[in-house]
Amino acid sequence: MTTTPVIVVGAGPTGLLLAGDLAAAGVPVTLVEKRPHRISNLSRAFVLHARTLEQLDARALADALEAVGRPLGRLDLFGRLSLDLTALRSRFRHVLVLPQYEVEKALERRAAESGVDFRYETEVTGLSQDTDGVTVAVRGADGRPASLRGTYVVGADGMRSAVRRAAGLPFPGRSVIRSVVLADVRLAEQPEKLLTVNATGDAFAFLAPFGDGYHRVICWHRGREEADDAPVGLDEVREITRLALGRDYGMHDARWTSRFHSDERQAPAYRVGRVLLAGDAAHVHSPAGGQGMNTGLQDAANLSWKLAQVVTGHAPEALLDTYQAERHPVGRAVLRSSGGIVRLAMAGRPWTLALRAALVTVL
Ligand SMILES: Cc1cc2nc3c(=O)[nH]c(=O)nc-3n(C[C@H](O)[C@H](O)[C@H](O)COP(=O)(O)OP(=O)(O)OC[C@H]3O[C@@H](n4cnc5c(N)ncnc54)[C@H](O)[C@@H]3O)c2cc1C
């Protein structure tokens, strides 16, 4: 069996950036993805932050994304909080609003052009490591088991990471919010702002444009605790949106709806020998603050050059330990800050409402 220097598992944004960086540095890399080859228009993330844009700029990808997305220099939250991003000391003094699939398309194109060996419809089912490398058990489209061999393996395979499980790492944490409703709808009345968000204590709602005539609605109501697979009706979305935003913008024609719960979890280690974790495989948190994809992309940017240096013999393996040292605290901080936003948005009792008002005033 031939050994590839690096096997990356998962072709989400984290895996695509990591694999693209390695290939661009001349390191042979295999990218294993269980999905068929298609990028869905059902997006999760909507926001790229300035630091991520800088990372993408270093890879000559930012200008094309800036041409597709819409910059937002001021964030208005909860009717009281306003963040002026134009004071940032960056070429990018804004967040860029664009669907996650646009980022994935750009990263996938770059990875393919750099020579990444893509293996779609290939699911990782387990792995074992020894002193020289890692043997990865996979199942292809025909359902037959096979194996791949890599000197290093990176699990960028999302929240339910098979790599994390196979490496024996727990994923401690808890669910912070249940029954969050997602709907992709058309709006009869266009919102005044690019991103619209508000929370009343009993309900919150967020609206963001896809740029193709549809808006994503993310909303939640304290009184509704449904299972993730409970059907979502447009009337429910309208009602919660009215409670949180005062109106429902005449939403109609839902092309997709879903319900999910949001967890806060982090792996205690991002590296076990020759196996590393990045992105949602290493940490998950609430979507509040729009940090998940951004944090994963920055994990990938931190890890890729280190792996390239180590596998080409230009740096000792100990360099990989700096990945954990640098990125684990960032993941923990993002868990705290996004969790804080959710708890404040959900605050229903008078003292928490007062705290929110005080915080908003201080900020
Ligand atoms: C409603 C919502 C809104 C969000 N908004 C934002 C936002 O505005 N900004 C932001 O930064 N983040 C946001 N996020 C979070 C963001 O979407 C995720 O953090 C991001 O997708 C993580 O990327 P990833 O590449 O690490 O993992 P994923 O995108 O989950 O990709 C993992 C990949 O691994 C593949 N895979 C899984 N298991 C296997 C296996 N065994 N074998 C092979 N392949 C496998 C999967 O098919 C998938 O393609 C949001 C999330 C949600 C739910």
Side-chain angles (χ1 to χ4, degrees), residues 17-284:
L17 179 64
L18 181 68
D21 274 7
L22 286 161
V27 175
V29 53
T30 297
L31 180 53
V32 181
E33 167 58 54
K34 70 178 177 185
R35 281 184 287 108
H37 180 207
R38 93 192 127 67
I39 288 183
S40 161
N41 70 344
L42 300 176
S43 197
R44 292 194 282 165
F46 272 91
V47 170
L48 281 176
H49 291 283
R51 181 66 191 128
T52 314
L53 284 164
E54 288 173 350
Q55 296 281 10
L56 294 168
D57 199 26
R59 292 155 179 85
L61 294 173
D63 287 343
L65 292 172
E66 289 263 307
V68 182
R70 289 197 264 173
L72 186 63
R74 176 176 289 278
L75 290 175
D76 295 313
L77 298 171
F78 306 141
R80 294 281 302 275
L81 172 60
S82 186
L83 291 178
D84 179 10
L85 303 174
T86 59
L88 285 175
R89 280 193 285 173
S90 168
R91 190 192 146 200
F92 305 97
R93 295 177 186 165
H94 53 260
V95 294
L96 189 67
V97 179
L98 86 172
Q100 178 166 332
Y101 57 74
E102 295 290 356
V103 180
E104 291 180 8
K105 266 198 282 186
L107 291 171
E108 191 200 67
R109 202 176 312 120
R110 169 177 179 260
E113 285 167 7
S114 304
V116 170
D117 168 24
F118 280 88
R119 307 281 180 95
Y120 282 99
E121 296 188 69
T122 305
E123 179 174 3
V124 169
T125 55
L127 57 80
S128 60
Q129 55 177 317
D130 50 57
T131 47
D132 300 324
V134 188
T135 302
V136 181
V138 296
R139 188 169 42 224
D142 59 7
R144 287 212 201 115
S147 48
L148 302 169
R149 177 98 177 146
T151 310
Y152 289 94
V153 170
V154 183
D157 50 344
M159 178 177 174
R160 292 182 185 79
S161 172
V163 172
R164 186 185 64 233
R165 222 173 21 250
L169 284 168
F171 205 33
R174 63 197 180 98
S175 290
V176 274
I177 180 167
R178 296 183 177 281
S179 212
V180 180
V181 171
L182 305 178
D184 291 352
V185 297
R186 288 190 183 277
L187 300 180
E189 304 149 30
Q190 291 308 302
E192 295 78 35
K193 293 178 186 151
L194 196 51
L195 298 182
T196 308
V197 60
N198 195 35
T200 61
D202 280 336
F204 72 67
F206 167 86
L207 300 180
F210 274 96
D212 66 353
Y214 279 83
H215 272 72
R216 163 66 50 86
V217 187
I218 305 177
C219 60
W220 169 86
H221 187 273
R222 182 181 303 282
R224 293 174 197 265
E225 280 269 321
E226 310 261 13
D228 285 356
D229 57 0
V232 175
L234 193 51
D235 282 344
E236 176 185 1
V237 185
R238 286 193 187 105
E239 187 193 330
I240 303 175
T241 307
R242 277 197 299 271
L243 282 170
L245 301 179
R247 52 202 263 231
D248 64 21
Y249 298 89
M251 59 180 72
H252 59 98
D253 283 348
R255 70 175 171 192
W256 177 79
T257 59
S258 181
R259 198 185 295 274
F260 77 106
H261 66 274
S262 172
D263 285 4
E264 269 175 13
R265 298 181 185 278
Q266 188 178 27
Y270 286 8
R271 177 180 174 211
V272 179
R274 296 180 173 278
V275 178
L276 298 113
L277 297 178
D280 276 16
H283 45 75
V284 289

